PDB file of all heavy atoms in Angstrom:
ATOM      1  N   ALA A   1     207.917  87.126 124.540  1.00  0.00           N
ATOM      2  CA  ALA A   1     208.750  86.250 123.718  1.00  0.00           C
ATOM      3  C   ALA A   1     209.667  87.124 122.855  1.00  0.00           C
ATOM      4  O   ALA A   1     209.273  88.217 122.440  1.00  0.00           O
ATOM      5  CB  ALA A   1     207.879  85.373 122.826  1.00  0.00           C
ATOM      6  N   VAL A   2     210.865  86.656 122.600  1.00  0.00           N
ATOM      7  CA  VAL A   2     211.833  87.444 121.833  1.00  0.00           C
ATOM      8  C   VAL A   2     211.268  87.807 120.457  1.00  0.00           C
ATOM      9  O   VAL A   2     211.392  88.943 120.005  1.00  0.00           O
ATOM     10  CB  VAL A   2     213.177  86.685 121.697  1.00  0.00           C
ATOM     11  CG1 VAL A   2     214.114  87.408 120.749  1.00  0.00           C
ATOM     12  CG2 VAL A   2     213.819  86.516 123.056  1.00  0.00           C
ATOM     13  N   ALA A   3     210.642  86.859 119.785  1.00  0.00           N
ATOM     14  CA  ALA A   3     210.092  87.129 118.453  1.00  0.00           C
ATOM     15  C   ALA A   3     209.039  88.237 118.511  1.00  0.00           C
ATOM     16  O   ALA A   3     209.015  89.127 117.654  1.00  0.00           O
ATOM     17  CB  ALA A   3     209.496  85.861 117.852  1.00  0.00           C
ATOM     18  N   ASP A   4     208.177  88.207 119.511  1.00  0.00           N
ATOM     19  CA  ASP A   4     207.160  89.252 119.656  1.00  0.00           C
ATOM     20  C   ASP A   4     207.796  90.603 119.928  1.00  0.00           C
ATOM     21  O   ASP A   4     207.386  91.624 119.386  1.00  0.00           O
ATOM     22  CB  ASP A   4     206.179  88.908 120.784  1.00  0.00           C
ATOM     23  CG  ASP A   4     205.341  87.694 120.461  1.00  0.00           C
ATOM     24  OD1 ASP A   4     205.167  87.383 119.261  1.00  0.00           O
ATOM     25  OD2 ASP A   4     204.853  87.059 121.414  1.00  0.00           O
ATOM     26  N   TRP A   5     208.832  90.615 120.771  1.00  0.00           N
ATOM     27  CA  TRP A   5     209.518  91.854 121.098  1.00  0.00           C
ATOM     28  C   TRP A   5     210.199  92.436 119.856  1.00  0.00           C
ATOM     29  O   TRP A   5     210.143  93.620 119.602  1.00  0.00           O
ATOM     30  CB  TRP A   5     210.537  91.610 122.210  1.00  0.00           C
ATOM     31  CG  TRP A   5     211.255  92.851 122.609  1.00  0.00           C
ATOM     32  CD1 TRP A   5     210.775  93.862 123.378  1.00  0.00           C
ATOM     33  CD2 TRP A   5     212.580  93.218 122.246  1.00  0.00           C
ATOM     34  NE1 TRP A   5     211.731  94.842 123.522  1.00  0.00           N
ATOM     35  CE2 TRP A   5     212.846  94.473 122.835  1.00  0.00           C
ATOM     36  CE3 TRP A   5     213.573  92.622 121.486  1.00  0.00           C
ATOM     37  CZ2 TRP A   5     214.057  95.124 122.679  1.00  0.00           C
ATOM     38  CZ3 TRP A   5     214.777  93.278 121.335  1.00  0.00           C
ATOM     39  CH2 TRP A   5     215.009  94.506 121.931  1.00  0.00           C
ATOM     40  N   LEU A   6     210.817  91.577 119.046  1.00  0.00           N
ATOM     41  CA  LEU A   6     211.476  92.045 117.828  1.00  0.00           C
ATOM     42  C   LEU A   6     210.462  92.591 116.822  1.00  0.00           C
ATOM     43  O   LEU A   6     210.731  93.584 116.147  1.00  0.00           O
ATOM     44  CB  LEU A   6     212.317  90.943 117.202  1.00  0.00           C
ATOM     45  CG  LEU A   6     213.582  90.575 117.972  1.00  0.00           C
ATOM     46  CD1 LEU A   6     214.243  89.345 117.346  1.00  0.00           C
ATOM     47  CD2 LEU A   6     214.544  91.741 118.029  1.00  0.00           C
ATOM     48  N   LEU A   7     209.306  91.972 116.728  1.00  0.00           N
ATOM     49  CA  LEU A   7     208.251  92.497 115.847  1.00  0.00           C
ATOM     50  C   LEU A   7     207.796  93.883 116.310  1.00  0.00           C
ATOM     51  O   LEU A   7     207.604  94.786 115.500  1.00  0.00           O
ATOM     52  CB  LEU A   7     207.063  91.537 115.789  1.00  0.00           C
ATOM     53  CG  LEU A   7     207.284  90.266 114.988  1.00  0.00           C
ATOM     54  CD1 LEU A   7     206.110  89.302 115.191  1.00  0.00           C
ATOM     55  CD2 LEU A   7     207.466  90.583 113.518  1.00  0.00           C
ATOM     56  N   GLN A   8     207.637  94.049 117.606  1.00  0.00           N
ATOM     57  CA  GLN A   8     207.250  95.342 118.154  1.00  0.00           C
ATOM     58  C   GLN A   8     208.341  96.389 117.889  1.00  0.00           C
ATOM     59  O   GLN A   8     208.046  97.520 117.519  1.00  0.00           O
ATOM     60  CB  GLN A   8     206.994  95.221 119.656  1.00  0.00           C
ATOM     61  CG  GLN A   8     206.599  96.527 120.309  1.00  0.00           C
ATOM     62  CD  GLN A   8     206.442  96.371 121.818  1.00  0.00           C
ATOM     63  OE1 GLN A   8     206.666  95.309 122.389  1.00  0.00           O
ATOM     64  NE2 GLN A   8     206.061  97.445 122.467  1.00  0.00           N
ATOM     65  N   LEU A   9     209.574  95.989 118.036  1.00  0.00           N
ATOM     66  CA  LEU A   9     210.697  96.886 117.786  1.00  0.00           C
ATOM     67  C   LEU A   9     210.742  97.300 116.320  1.00  0.00           C
ATOM     68  O   LEU A   9     210.990  98.464 115.986  1.00  0.00           O
ATOM     69  CB  LEU A   9     212.001  96.214 118.197  1.00  0.00           C
ATOM     70  CG  LEU A   9     213.255  97.059 118.169  1.00  0.00           C
ATOM     71  CD1 LEU A   9     213.121  98.273 119.077  1.00  0.00           C
ATOM     72  CD2 LEU A   9     214.453  96.220 118.578  1.00  0.00           C
ATOM     73  N   ARG A  10     210.464  96.367 115.425  1.00  0.00           N
ATOM     74  CA  ARG A  10     210.432  96.680 113.990  1.00  0.00           C
ATOM     75  C   ARG A  10     209.332  97.690 113.684  1.00  0.00           C
ATOM     76  O   ARG A  10     209.538  98.629 112.921  1.00  0.00           O
ATOM     77  CB  ARG A  10     210.244  95.411 113.162  1.00  0.00           C
ATOM     78  CG  ARG A  10     210.256  95.708 111.661  1.00  0.00           C
ATOM     79  CD  ARG A  10     210.176  94.484 110.830  1.00  0.00           C
ATOM     80  NE  ARG A  10     208.894  93.834 111.017  1.00  0.00           N
ATOM     81  CZ  ARG A  10     208.510  92.730 110.407  1.00  0.00           C
ATOM     82  NH1 ARG A  10     209.331  92.126 109.587  1.00  0.00           N
ATOM     83  NH2 ARG A  10     207.341  92.204 110.628  1.00  0.00           N
ATOM     84  N   GLU A  11     208.178  97.532 114.283  1.00  0.00           N
ATOM     85  CA  GLU A  11     207.093  98.487 114.062  1.00  0.00           C
ATOM     86  C   GLU A  11     207.458  99.868 114.595  1.00  0.00           C
ATOM     87  O   GLU A  11     207.147 100.887 113.979  1.00  0.00           O
ATOM     88  CB  GLU A  11     205.793  97.979 114.696  1.00  0.00           C
ATOM     89  CG  GLU A  11     205.204  96.781 113.985  1.00  0.00           C
ATOM     90  CD  GLU A  11     205.008  97.013 112.492  1.00  0.00           C
ATOM     91  OE1 GLU A  11     204.441  98.056 112.107  1.00  0.00           O
ATOM     92  OE2 GLU A  11     205.438  96.150 111.702  1.00  0.00           O
ATOM     93  N   GLN A  12     208.132  99.905 115.723  1.00  0.00           N
ATOM     94  CA  GLN A  12     208.576 101.188 116.276  1.00  0.00           C
ATOM     95  C   GLN A  12     209.579 101.843 115.330  1.00  0.00           C
ATOM     96  O   GLN A  12     209.516 103.046 115.083  1.00  0.00           O
ATOM     97  CB  GLN A  12     209.196 100.982 117.655  1.00  0.00           C
ATOM     98  CG  GLN A  12     209.623 102.271 118.312  1.00  0.00           C
ATOM     99  CD  GLN A  12     210.191 102.048 119.701  1.00  0.00           C
ATOM    100  OE1 GLN A  12     210.234 100.927 120.210  1.00  0.00           O
ATOM    101  NE2 GLN A  12     210.630 103.106 120.322  1.00  0.00           N
ATOM    102  N   GLU A  13     210.485 101.062 114.772  1.00  0.00           N
ATOM    103  CA  GLU A  13     211.471 101.590 113.828  1.00  0.00           C
ATOM    104  C   GLU A  13     210.782 102.152 112.594  1.00  0.00           C
ATOM    105  O   GLU A  13     211.144 103.215 112.094  1.00  0.00           O
ATOM    106  CB  GLU A  13     212.469 100.491 113.447  1.00  0.00           C
ATOM    107  CG  GLU A  13     213.598 100.954 112.564  1.00  0.00           C
ATOM    108  CD  GLU A  13     213.273 100.924 111.083  1.00  0.00           C
ATOM    109  OE1 GLU A  13     212.397 100.152 110.663  1.00  0.00           O
ATOM    110  OE2 GLU A  13     213.900 101.684 110.347  1.00  0.00           O
ATOM    111  N   ARG A  14     209.781 101.470 112.092  1.00  0.00           N
ATOM    112  CA  ARG A  14     209.040 101.963 110.918  1.00  0.00           C
ATOM    113  C   ARG A  14     208.341 103.285 111.218  1.00  0.00           C
ATOM    114  O   ARG A  14     208.241 104.148 110.357  1.00  0.00           O
ATOM    115  CB  ARG A  14     208.022 100.928 110.466  1.00  0.00           C
ATOM    116  CG  ARG A  14     208.643  99.761 109.758  1.00  0.00           C
ATOM    117  CD  ARG A  14     207.588  98.777 109.319  1.00  0.00           C
ATOM    118  NE  ARG A  14     208.199  97.697 108.567  1.00  0.00           N
ATOM    119  CZ  ARG A  14     207.592  96.574 108.262  1.00  0.00           C
ATOM    120  NH1 ARG A  14     206.348  96.375 108.630  1.00  0.00           N
ATOM    121  NH2 ARG A  14     208.220  95.650 107.566  1.00  0.00           N
ATOM    122  N   ALA A  15     207.876 103.444 112.439  1.00  0.00           N
ATOM    123  CA  ALA A  15     207.166 104.673 112.815  1.00  0.00           C
ATOM    124  C   ALA A  15     208.075 105.893 112.828  1.00  0.00           C
ATOM    125  O   ALA A  15     207.609 107.012 112.605  1.00  0.00           O
ATOM    126  CB  ALA A  15     206.499 104.496 114.184  1.00  0.00           C
ATOM    127  N   VAL A  16     209.368 105.693 113.084  1.00  0.00           N
ATOM    128  CA  VAL A  16     210.282 106.834 113.139  1.00  0.00           C
ATOM    129  C   VAL A  16     211.011 107.070 111.819  1.00  0.00           C
ATOM    130  O   VAL A  16     211.798 108.005 111.717  1.00  0.00           O
ATOM    131  CB  VAL A  16     211.305 106.708 114.300  1.00  0.00           C
ATOM    132  CG1 VAL A  16     210.602 106.677 115.638  1.00  0.00           C
ATOM    133  CG2 VAL A  16     212.215 105.521 114.122  1.00  0.00           C
ATOM    134  N   ARG A  17     210.727 106.286 110.812  1.00  0.00           N
ATOM    135  CA  ARG A  17     211.394 106.457 109.520  1.00  0.00           C
ATOM    136  C   ARG A  17     211.297 107.870 108.946  1.00  0.00           C
ATOM    137  O   ARG A  17     212.253 108.328 108.325  1.00  0.00           O
ATOM    138  CB  ARG A  17     210.860 105.460 108.503  1.00  0.00           C
ATOM    139  CG  ARG A  17     211.635 104.208 108.521  1.00  0.00           C
ATOM    140  CD  ARG A  17     211.492 103.488 107.218  1.00  0.00           C
ATOM    141  NE  ARG A  17     211.975 102.137 107.444  1.00  0.00           N
ATOM    142  CZ  ARG A  17     211.583 101.115 106.740  1.00  0.00           C
ATOM    143  NH1 ARG A  17     210.730 101.257 105.774  1.00  0.00           N
ATOM    144  NH2 ARG A  17     212.069  99.939 107.009  1.00  0.00           N
ATOM    145  N   PRO A  18     210.190 108.573 109.114  1.00  0.00           N
ATOM    146  CA  PRO A  18     210.158 109.942 108.569  1.00  0.00           C
ATOM    147  C   PRO A  18     211.253 110.843 109.150  1.00  0.00           C
ATOM    148  O   PRO A  18     211.560 111.879 108.585  1.00  0.00           O
ATOM    149  CB  PRO A  18     208.770 110.454 108.964  1.00  0.00           C
ATOM    150  CG  PRO A  18     207.941 109.222 109.124  1.00  0.00           C
ATOM    151  CD  PRO A  18     208.895 108.180 109.649  1.00  0.00           C
ATOM    152  N   PHE A  19     211.859 110.436 110.241  1.00  0.00           N
ATOM    153  CA  PHE A  19     212.884 111.248 110.890  1.00  0.00           C
ATOM    154  C   PHE A  19     214.297 110.716 110.646  1.00  0.00           C
ATOM    155  O   PHE A  19     215.255 111.242 111.195  1.00  0.00           O
ATOM    156  CB  PHE A  19     212.629 111.305 112.402  1.00  0.00           C
ATOM    157  CG  PHE A  19     211.258 111.816 112.727  1.00  0.00           C
ATOM    158  CD1 PHE A  19     210.233 110.936 113.036  1.00  0.00           C
ATOM    159  CD2 PHE A  19     210.982 113.164 112.692  1.00  0.00           C
ATOM    160  CE1 PHE A  19     208.963 111.390 113.322  1.00  0.00           C
ATOM    161  CE2 PHE A  19     209.717 113.640 112.978  1.00  0.00           C
ATOM    162  CZ  PHE A  19     208.700 112.757 113.292  1.00  0.00           C
ATOM    163  N   GLU A  20     214.448 109.695 109.802  1.00  0.00           N
ATOM    164  CA  GLU A  20     215.741 109.041 109.662  1.00  0.00           C
ATOM    165  C   GLU A  20     216.824 109.922 109.052  1.00  0.00           C
ATOM    166  O   GLU A  20     218.005 109.613 109.175  1.00  0.00           O
ATOM    167  CB  GLU A  20     215.613 107.727 108.892  1.00  0.00           C
ATOM    168  CG  GLU A  20     215.247 107.877 107.436  1.00  0.00           C
ATOM    169  CD  GLU A  20     215.004 106.537 106.774  1.00  0.00           C
ATOM    170  OE1 GLU A  20     215.119 105.489 107.416  1.00  0.00           O
ATOM    171  OE2 GLU A  20     214.679 106.540 105.577  1.00  0.00           O
ATOM    172  N   GLN A  21     216.469 111.015 108.422  1.00  0.00           N
ATOM    173  CA  GLN A  21     217.468 111.916 107.859  1.00  0.00           C
ATOM    174  C   GLN A  21     217.807 113.063 108.816  1.00  0.00           C
ATOM    175  O   GLN A  21     218.519 113.986 108.460  1.00  0.00           O
ATOM    176  CB  GLN A  21     216.992 112.479 106.519  1.00  0.00           C
ATOM    177  CG  GLN A  21     216.802 111.417 105.452  1.00  0.00           C
ATOM    178  CD  GLN A  21     218.092 110.691 105.119  1.00  0.00           C
ATOM    179  OE1 GLN A  21     219.162 111.279 105.052  1.00  0.00           O
ATOM    180  NE2 GLN A  21     218.004 109.376 104.918  1.00  0.00           N
ATOM    181  N   SER A  22     217.305 113.012 110.024  1.00  0.00           N
ATOM    182  CA  SER A  22     217.566 114.052 111.017  1.00  0.00           C
ATOM    183  C   SER A  22     219.004 113.973 111.515  1.00  0.00           C
ATOM    184  O   SER A  22     219.541 112.887 111.712  1.00  0.00           O
ATOM    185  CB  SER A  22     216.622 113.897 112.216  1.00  0.00           C
ATOM    186  OG  SER A  22     215.288 113.952 111.785  1.00  0.00           O
ATOM    187  N   ALA A  23     219.598 115.137 111.728  1.00  0.00           N
ATOM    188  CA  ALA A  23     220.955 115.186 112.274  1.00  0.00           C
ATOM    189  C   ALA A  23     220.923 114.785 113.740  1.00  0.00           C
ATOM    190  O   ALA A  23     219.953 115.071 114.460  1.00  0.00           O
ATOM    191  CB  ALA A  23     221.511 116.597 112.135  1.00  0.00           C
ATOM    192  N   LEU A  24     221.980 114.120 114.205  1.00  0.00           N
ATOM    193  CA  LEU A  24     222.021 113.696 115.604  1.00  0.00           C
ATOM    194  C   LEU A  24     221.927 114.879 116.564  1.00  0.00           C
ATOM    195  O   LEU A  24     221.352 114.766 117.639  1.00  0.00           O
ATOM    196  CB  LEU A  24     223.279 112.872 115.881  1.00  0.00           C
ATOM    197  CG  LEU A  24     223.235 111.437 115.382  1.00  0.00           C
ATOM    198  CD1 LEU A  24     224.553 110.736 115.653  1.00  0.00           C
ATOM    199  CD2 LEU A  24     222.092 110.663 116.002  1.00  0.00           C
ATOM    200  N   MET A  25     222.467 116.026 116.174  1.00  0.00           N
ATOM    201  CA  MET A  25     222.359 117.222 117.024  1.00  0.00           C
ATOM    202  C   MET A  25     220.891 117.624 117.179  1.00  0.00           C
ATOM    203  O   MET A  25     220.463 118.041 118.250  1.00  0.00           O
ATOM    204  CB  MET A  25     223.151 118.385 116.421  1.00  0.00           C
ATOM    205  CG  MET A  25     224.631 118.130 116.331  1.00  0.00           C
ATOM    206  SD  MET A  25     225.632 118.720 117.681  1.00  0.00           S
ATOM    207  CE  MET A  25     225.101 120.341 117.974  1.00  0.00           C
ATOM    208  N   GLU A  26     220.120 117.487 116.110  1.00  0.00           N
ATOM    209  CA  GLU A  26     218.695 117.804 116.153  1.00  0.00           C
ATOM    210  C   GLU A  26     217.960 116.807 117.052  1.00  0.00           C
ATOM    211  O   GLU A  26     217.123 117.187 117.870  1.00  0.00           O
ATOM    212  CB  GLU A  26     218.133 117.770 114.729  1.00  0.00           C
ATOM    213  CG  GLU A  26     216.762 118.341 114.575  1.00  0.00           C
ATOM    214  CD  GLU A  26     216.354 118.421 113.114  1.00  0.00           C
ATOM    215  OE1 GLU A  26     216.952 117.753 112.246  1.00  0.00           O
ATOM    216  OE2 GLU A  26     215.397 119.155 112.852  1.00  0.00           O
ATOM    217  N   VAL A  27     218.293 115.533 116.922  1.00  0.00           N
ATOM    218  CA  VAL A  27     217.684 114.499 117.755  1.00  0.00           C
ATOM    219  C   VAL A  27     218.011 114.753 119.221  1.00  0.00           C
ATOM    220  O   VAL A  27     217.154 114.618 120.095  1.00  0.00           O
ATOM    221  CB  VAL A  27     218.154 113.091 117.319  1.00  0.00           C
ATOM    222  CG1 VAL A  27     217.658 112.032 118.280  1.00  0.00           C
ATOM    223  CG2 VAL A  27     217.689 112.794 115.897  1.00  0.00           C
ATOM    224  N   GLN A  28     219.254 115.141 119.499  1.00  0.00           N
ATOM    225  CA  GLN A  28     219.661 115.457 120.875  1.00  0.00           C
ATOM    226  C   GLN A  28     218.766 116.553 121.446  1.00  0.00           C
ATOM    227  O   GLN A  28     218.335 116.481 122.589  1.00  0.00           O
ATOM    228  CB  GLN A  28     221.124 115.911 120.912  1.00  0.00           C
ATOM    229  CG  GLN A  28     221.620 116.292 122.289  1.00  0.00           C
ATOM    230  CD  GLN A  28     222.086 115.121 123.107  1.00  0.00           C
ATOM    231  OE1 GLN A  28     222.694 114.217 122.572  1.00  0.00           O
ATOM    232  NE2 GLN A  28     221.814 115.130 124.378  1.00  0.00           N
ATOM    233  N   GLY A  29     218.465 117.567 120.637  1.00  0.00           N
ATOM    234  CA  GLY A  29     217.603 118.656 121.089  1.00  0.00           C
ATOM    235  C   GLY A  29     216.184 118.207 121.385  1.00  0.00           C
ATOM    236  O   GLY A  29     215.518 118.759 122.254  1.00  0.00           O
ATOM    237  N   TRP A  30     215.688 117.212 120.651  1.00  0.00           N
ATOM    238  CA  TRP A  30     214.332 116.711 120.864  1.00  0.00           C
ATOM    239  C   TRP A  30     214.240 115.799 122.082  1.00  0.00           C
ATOM    240  O   TRP A  30     213.166 115.613 122.646  1.00  0.00           O
ATOM    241  CB  TRP A  30     213.859 115.909 119.658  1.00  0.00           C
ATOM    242  CG  TRP A  30     213.723 116.681 118.389  1.00  0.00           C
ATOM    243  CD1 TRP A  30     213.480 118.021 118.267  1.00  0.00           C
ATOM    244  CD2 TRP A  30     213.833 116.167 117.071  1.00  0.00           C
ATOM    245  NE1 TRP A  30     213.436 118.358 116.939  1.00  0.00           N
ATOM    246  CE2 TRP A  30     213.643 117.242 116.178  1.00  0.00           C
ATOM    247  CE3 TRP A  30     214.076 114.913 116.549  1.00  0.00           C
ATOM    248  CZ2 TRP A  30     213.674 117.095 114.800  1.00  0.00           C
ATOM    249  CZ3 TRP A  30     214.110 114.763 115.168  1.00  0.00           C
ATOM    250  CH2 TRP A  30     213.910 115.841 114.311  1.00  0.00           C
ATOM    251  N   SER A  31     215.355 115.208 122.458  1.00  0.00           N
ATOM    252  CA  SER A  31     215.329 114.207 123.523  1.00  0.00           C
ATOM    253  C   SER A  31     215.308 114.858 124.905  1.00  0.00           C
ATOM    254  O   SER A  31     215.528 116.048 125.050  1.00  0.00           O
ATOM    255  CB  SER A  31     216.558 113.293 123.417  1.00  0.00           C
ATOM    256  OG  SER A  31     217.706 113.982 123.862  1.00  0.00           O
ATOM    257  N   ARG A  32     215.058 114.038 125.898  1.00  0.00           N
ATOM    258  CA  ARG A  32     215.120 114.495 127.287  1.00  0.00           C
ATOM    259  C   ARG A  32     216.502 114.219 127.883  1.00  0.00           C
ATOM    260  O   ARG A  32     216.702 114.359 129.067  1.00  0.00           O
ATOM    261  CB  ARG A  32     214.046 113.776 128.112  1.00  0.00           C
ATOM    262  CG  ARG A  32     212.651 114.219 127.744  1.00  0.00           C
ATOM    263  CD  ARG A  32     211.643 113.550 128.644  1.00  0.00           C
ATOM    264  NE  ARG A  32     210.740 112.808 127.777  1.00  0.00           N
ATOM    265  CZ  ARG A  32     210.011 111.790 128.143  1.00  0.00           C
ATOM    266  NH1 ARG A  32     210.081 111.345 129.374  1.00  0.00           N
ATOM    267  NH2 ARG A  32     209.222 111.187 127.305  1.00  0.00           N
ATOM    268  N   ILE A  33     217.422 113.821 127.026  1.00  0.00           N
ATOM    269  CA  ILE A  33     218.777 113.519 127.470  1.00  0.00           C
ATOM    270  C   ILE A  33     219.585 114.806 127.444  1.00  0.00           C
ATOM    271  O   ILE A  33     219.582 115.535 126.457  1.00  0.00           O
ATOM    272  CB  ILE A  33     219.412 112.451 126.566  1.00  0.00           C
ATOM    273  CG1 ILE A  33     218.588 111.163 126.645  1.00  0.00           C
ATOM    274  CG2 ILE A  33     220.857 112.204 126.943  1.00  0.00           C
ATOM    275  CD1 ILE A  33     218.976 110.121 125.640  1.00  0.00           C
ATOM    276  N   GLY A  34     220.263 115.079 128.522  1.00  0.00           N
ATOM    277  CA  GLY A  34     221.015 116.320 128.650  1.00  0.00           C
ATOM    278  C   GLY A  34     222.214 116.401 127.725  1.00  0.00           C
ATOM    279  O   GLY A  34     222.721 115.379 127.257  1.00  0.00           O
TER     280      GLY A  34
END
C-alpha cells in the first residue's frame, strides 16, 4: 500500500540522517555508481 511504502521510506530517510551533511562527491565515492 502507498501509505505503508511511504512509512518505510520515512524510516529509511531517518536512518541516513547522520550522513545528511556529506558532500555529494563523498556520497558518489561510497556508492556503486560509476
Side-chain angles (χ1 to χ4, degrees):
V2 172
D4 293 336
W5 181 76
L6 289 173
L7 287 171
Q8 179 184 2
L9 187 59
R10 182 176 66 179
E11 290 307 311
Q12 182 178 358
E13 185 273 335
R14 285 181 177 167
V16 298
R17 270 203 195 154
F19 304 99
E20 68 186 0
Q21 297 298 321
S22 302
L24 283 177
M25 297 266 313
E26 192 173 18
V27 173
Q28 179 84 38
W30 296 334
S31 75
R32 291 184 238 157
I33 299 171

